[in-house]
Amino acid sequence: MADAAVKAVAPSKSQLAYDFIRARIDDGRYVSGFRLVLGQIAGELDISVVPVREAIRRLEAEGLVTFEKNVGAQVALLKEAEYTYTMETLALVEGAATQQSAPFLTPEHLERARAINREMIACLDDFIPHRFTQLNQEFHAVLFEECPNPHILDLVHRGWNRLTVLRDSTFSFVPGRARESVDEHEHILTLIESGAPPLDIELAARNHRLATLDSLHAYQNEHKQH
């Protein structure tokens, strides 16, 4: 009976550790390359190392954590090529998800998206990249979460998860992109609201994602020249 009770408790402790680490990756406290010391995390949560290790393995499977010999676990370093591939893939699947979601979006959905976009606009003068990024994800989630195809939606979620460790830096490097982004948001909303052809909606969402990638590449090329 005692063994059974321990097994019943273990998943909740593993989930606790997962939520603890994931929240700190998401809000930027654990930045790219941050070393995750299992014993330290276990001590903070007042649990054993075992559930922390389970949580690390789960995060590793999601691509948010890497484990290297003689280094240990650390928040994943997303390399430039991998970032590019992830953004290109996300552009395709998020464009498809937004297009498929559009017929199911109510006026309430669109008003929620516009309210978020207004908040993003309010962030532009006193620009805080992390907050802008949070709002950006909330905005797009409103538009793609009604997608009826669970496989496409799963790919979108995976793409956003993989970008977690680098999204802030994109807007930090190219804050001018943030201003363009909110204008493109309104364009996408207008297309959905007016009942535009599905392909127009899909391409607008896809090109919006690729424009962020193009802006980052342009910044990097200019930076290298100097």
Side-chain angles (χ1 to χ4, degrees):
M1 293 292 292
D3 288 344
V6 170
K7 288 180 181 177
V9 172
S12 64
K13 290 184 177 179
S14 176
Q15 184 66 43
L16 176 68
Y18 173 88
D19 292 342
F20 179 85
I21 299 167
R22 179 62 190 268
R24 281 154 181 73
I25 293 174
D26 287 347
D27 67 19
R29 279 177 283 178
Y30 289 175
V31 297
S32 179
F34 182 88
R35 189 179 172 204
L36 300 168
V37 182
L38 276 62
Q40 182 179 329
I41 295 171
E44 289 185 62
L45 295 174
D46 193 26
I47 59 177
S48 74
V49 173
V50 174
V52 177
R53 186 176 292 115
E54 291 172 356
I56 292 292
R57 285 174 182 157
R58 184 174 161 192
L59 289 160
E60 187 179 7
E62 293 175 357
L64 296 177
V65 168
T66 58
F67 191 89
E68 295 182 29
K69 189 176 181 181
N70 300 325
V71 175
Q74 62 180 16
V75 178
L77 293 164
L78 201 56
K79 297 178 181 178
E80 183 179 337
E82 187 176 352
Y83 176 79
T84 297
Y85 298 149
T86 302
M87 284 288 279
E88 289 173 346
T89 303
L90 186 57
L92 291 171
V93 296
E94 189 177 343
T98 302
Q99 175 256 110
Q100 290 194 18
S101 181
F104 301 98
L105 297 178
T106 65
E108 288 73 24
H109 283 109
L110 297 178
E111 177 50 37
R112 170 65 179 149
R114 277 207 168 88
I116 295 169
N117 205 42
R118 285 194 295 269
E119 194 171 347
M120 293 176 75
I121 293 169
C123 288
L124 291 174
D125 292 334
D126 186 18
F127 192 62
I128 302 173
H130 178 68
R131 178 58 181 154
F132 189 89
T133 293
Q134 284 182 315
L135 291 169
N136 187 52
Q137 183 170 8
E138 290 177 23
F139 173 87
H140 285 288
V142 173
L143 300 190
F144 65 64
E145 285 292 350
E146 299 304 318
C147 174
N149 187 319
H151 296 283
I152 292 177
L153 198 54
D154 179 61
L155 290 172
V156 174
H157 291 157
R158 286 172 182 267
W160 277 96
N161 285 340
R162 291 186 69 78
L163 291 178
T164 297
V165 295
L166 274 194
R167 284 189 316 234
D168 281 0
S169 63
T170 304
F171 288 118
S172 297
F173 289 147
V174 281
R177 172 61 195 148
R179 195 168 294 277
E180 296 170 355
S181 183
V182 294
D183 290 339
E184 290 166 14
H185 285 175
E186 180 57 36
H187 175 60
I188 295 170
L189 287 173
T190 299
L191 288 174
I192 294 172
E193 207 166 37
S194 64
L199 183 58
D200 289 354
I201 296 170
E202 180 170 350
L203 290 177
R206 182 191 303 177
N207 292 333
H208 170 66
R209 178 71 50 218
L210 292 175
T212 298
L213 179 61
D214 290 342
S215 294
L216 183 59
H217 284 166
Y219 166 84
Q220 290 172 328
N221 290 334
E222 181 182 353
H223 188 68
K224 287 174 183 175
Q225 291 172 2
H226 294 85

